[in-house]
Amino acid sequence: MLNKRLIPKLQLKAEQFGSKTKMVLVTTRQFGEVIPIGDPVSQARIYQSQAADELIFLDIRPQEGQWELLTGLLRQVAEEVFMPFTVGGGVRTLEDFRLLLSNGADKVSINSAAVQNPDLITRASERFGAQCVIVSIDYRRMPDGSFQVFTQSGQNPTGLDPISWALEAERRGAGEILLTSIDHDGKQEGLDIATAALLQGKLNIPLILGGGCGLARHFIDGFTQGGAEAVCAGTFFCFRDQNPIQTRSHIKNAGIPIRIHN
Amino acid sequence: MVGIVDYGMGNLLSVFNALDWIGAEVEIITSPPDLESAERIILPGVGAFRDCIATLNETGFAAALQREVIEKKKPIFGICLGMQVMAKRGLEGGKWEGLGWFDADIVRIQPDDPQLKVPQVGWNQIQYDQQHPIFQELPQNPEFYFVHSYHMAFRQPQDIVATTDYGMAVTAAVCRENIFATQFHPEKSQDYGLKILENFLNWGRDQ
């Protein structure tokens, strides 16, 4: 039986250290406050030893055309981390896809560029295969109770409804959807289960749900009530005395099929 | 030396790194004649069947593989699409002739359970249909990372060495003489995946 997936999300930001610029692991709160945590490569190694199922790397402040820092990081990770990883942040073109895939990424996530140019989903899917095209969707609840997709790290309203946008991304050839509620991000009060469940009734590709896990219970809710194939979390694994091994045991105990390694 | 066939499809870096990690002498082979110097061969692959076989034919790798694998009987390990292309026919978006090493068709997976989505993405347990040296020292039902929409369907299942359950029996690993291949990605399957690659390096050595 296919297992549900537990995916640590490593958010990245370029930081200046003297004359050097390095990628630093950070967490965010409702996409605003950015808190530096440490070195992403050593953290990726630790997640591997804790048998995480996959990793997601997201550059939250990408600078156009500047891929050296990210590709350098990917090559370092790929040398010793033997699990699938997704990379995103600032991807705009097929050439960006090719560059990231050839530097060790298995999947590439696109967010703002997919909204601006939905044809990118189709072309990337045709060229590299649907399995490596992840469409990442960030959304907020509006004052009138409706939901709206935001791009550019939560800055730009798009007028799109997250559910219909996810279904359009599927039609255009996305391999998986990464769905994040900006309102829930980093608050550790639980995922937006209602929106996930609504989408899952209609979606035919895997759903990765993120934003808001603060307890093992929240992951369980994401799988059982939200129906997600995978749940990802950043803050949860950075600020709690929690790691994927412990969380996985809680999930397993709730009767959900998940890998327990050794 | 272990040669990884580079015909322009798939993430070779991960396969290279995994073999390097377990101490193999490994090279990426971009020119078909260089396959001659490889003692063992890895055939990776991601993408569509038609593109894969067309590229293998155009680059001359199909002929070189035929010589090294079928005539000289060098051990080969196919991964994902690299396994699928070893079948007689691919039925992905038409009918395409494969390398023909396995008497099988590549067909879309159709799970019984409507909750199960295609592609299958994630970690699934395998069941052994046969004992095989490449499974040495692995537990009874190890988990591996799969990502695929098609699988290898046989009329005669004697070449299937492992299957996985995805609302139907999905072919997970096949073997015929010196040819071994997996639908899952050992290079992305942490310790068990590395173990399988290590076992491949030793396969046939002590006999």
Side-chain angles (χ1 to χ4, degrees), chain A residues 1 52-53 82 106 131 200, chain B residues 17 46 117 123-124 188 190:
Chain A
M1 185 194 279
D53 294 314
F82 302 109
D106 298 283
Q131 83 290 335
Q200 268 305 56
Chain B
N17 286 337
V46 167
K117 296 171 175 178
W123 297 76
N124 205 337
K188 289 287 163 187
Q190 298 175 1

Side-chain angles (χ1 to χ4, degrees), chain A residues 110-221:
Chain A
I110 45 175
N111 187 325
S112 309
V115 171
Q116 279 161 16
N117 173 20
D119 192 40
L120 179 63
I121 305 172
T122 317
R123 285 185 299 137
S125 178
E126 282 169 358
R127 170 126 173 236
F128 305 106
Q131 83 290 335
C132 69
V133 183
I134 312 284
V135 174
S136 167
I137 300 175
D138 302 327
Y139 65 96
R140 290 178 204 272
R141 191 186 171 90
M142 305 308 286
D144 67 358
S146 69
F147 292 92
Q148 195 176 146
V149 176
F150 280 68
T151 57
Q152 308 293 342
S153 299
Q155 302 296 306
N156 289 0
T158 62
L160 295 168
D161 167 66
I163 292 178
S164 36
W165 172 230
L167 297 173
E168 186 183 342
E170 175 186 343
R171 274 196 303 277
R172 287 178 177 271
E176 293 179 79
I177 300 290
L178 167 56
L179 187 68
T180 307
S181 159
I182 300 173
D183 305 313
H184 292 68
D185 173 64
K187 286 172 71 181
Q188 307 191 51
E189 290 166 3
L191 298 154
D192 178 4
I193 296 297
T195 306
L198 213 55
L199 174 59
Q200 268 305 56
K202 300 170 183 167
L203 192 71
N204 294 306
I205 51 175
L207 173 66
I208 307 166
L209 188 57
C213 281
L215 298 169
R217 180 79 238 165
H218 297 149
F219 288 85
I220 295 167
D221 292 344

Side-chain angles (χ1 to χ4, degrees), chain A residues 7-261:
Chain A
I7 309 181
K9 180 171 67 178
L10 295 99
Q11 292 175 299
L12 310 167
K13 185 171 167 285
E15 295 260 5
Q16 200 73 28
F17 292 86
S19 61
K20 280 189 181 166
T21 313
K22 286 186 189 173
M23 276 296 187
V24 176
L25 178 65
V26 299
T27 71
T28 57
R29 200 177 152 89
Q30 292 177 285
F31 283 38
E33 192 186 352
V34 176
I35 306 148
I37 301 294
D39 175 38
V41 179
S42 51
Q43 189 57 49
R45 271 187 219 124
I46 292 168
Y47 285 142
Q48 163 151 282
S49 70
Q50 295 168 338
D53 294 314
E54 287 183 36
L55 298 175
I56 295 177
F57 293 92
L58 288 178
D59 184 351
I60 61 164
R61 297 283 185 274
Q63 292 185 313
E64 202 167 333
Q66 300 203 351
W67 291 112
E68 294 79 10
L69 280 177
L70 192 57
T71 54
L73 174 88
L74 288 182
R75 281 197 306 275
Q76 253 185 299
V77 172
E79 272 176 26
E80 44 191 310
V81 172
F82 302 109
M83 67 175 126
F85 48 97
T86 299
V87 182
V91 175
R92 318 210 68 82
T93 63
L94 288 181
E95 175 56 20
D96 296 341
F97 266 84
R98 194 201 59 76
L99 193 67
L100 294 173
L101 293 171
S102 66
N103 280 285
D106 298 283
K107 315 177 191 184
V108 172
S109 93
I110 45 175
N111 187 325
S112 309
V115 171
Q116 279 161 16
N117 173 20
D119 192 40
L120 179 63
I121 305 172
T122 317
R123 285 185 299 137
S125 178
E126 282 169 358
R127 170 126 173 236
F128 305 106
Q131 83 290 335
C132 69
V133 183
I134 312 284
V135 174
S136 167
I137 300 175
D138 302 327
Y139 65 96
R140 290 178 204 272
R141 191 186 171 90
M142 305 308 286
D144 67 358
S146 69
F147 292 92
Q148 195 176 146
V149 176
F150 280 68
T151 57
Q152 308 293 342
S153 299
Q155 302 296 306
N156 289 0
T158 62
L160 295 168
D161 167 66
I163 292 178
S164 36
W165 172 230
L167 297 173
E168 186 183 342
E170 175 186 343
R171 274 196 303 277
R172 287 178 177 271
E176 293 179 79
I177 300 290
L178 167 56
L179 187 68
T180 307
S181 159
I182 300 173
D183 305 313
H184 292 68
D185 173 64
K187 286 172 71 181
Q188 307 191 51
E189 290 166 3
L191 298 154
D192 178 4
I193 296 297
T195 306
L198 213 55
L199 174 59
Q200 268 305 56
K202 300 170 183 167
L203 192 71
N204 294 306
I205 51 175
L207 173 66
I208 307 166
L209 188 57
C213 281
L215 298 169
R217 180 79 238 165
H218 297 149
F219 288 85
I220 295 167
D221 292 344
F223 293 125
T224 55
Q225 298 171 36
E229 276 74 21
V231 174
C232 72
T235 311
F236 180 73
F237 294 121
C238 293
F239 284 134
R240 288 281 171 99
D241 183 21
Q242 275 288 356
N243 68 52
I245 300 175
Q246 295 163 316
T247 312
R248 198 183 288 283
S249 299
H250 288 295
I251 296 168
K252 184 87 178 176
N253 289 341
I256 296 161
I258 194 153
R259 203 165 57 105
I260 297 285
H261 194 55

Side-chain angles (χ1 to χ4, degrees), chain B residues 127-144:
Chain B
Q127 290 81 42
Y128 306 126
D129 294 86
Q130 296 177 37
Q131 295 294 323
H132 195 282
I134 286 182
F135 297 138
Q136 248 169 38
E137 291 174 53
L138 288 175
Q140 197 48 45
N141 295 112
E143 279 135 336
F144 292 98

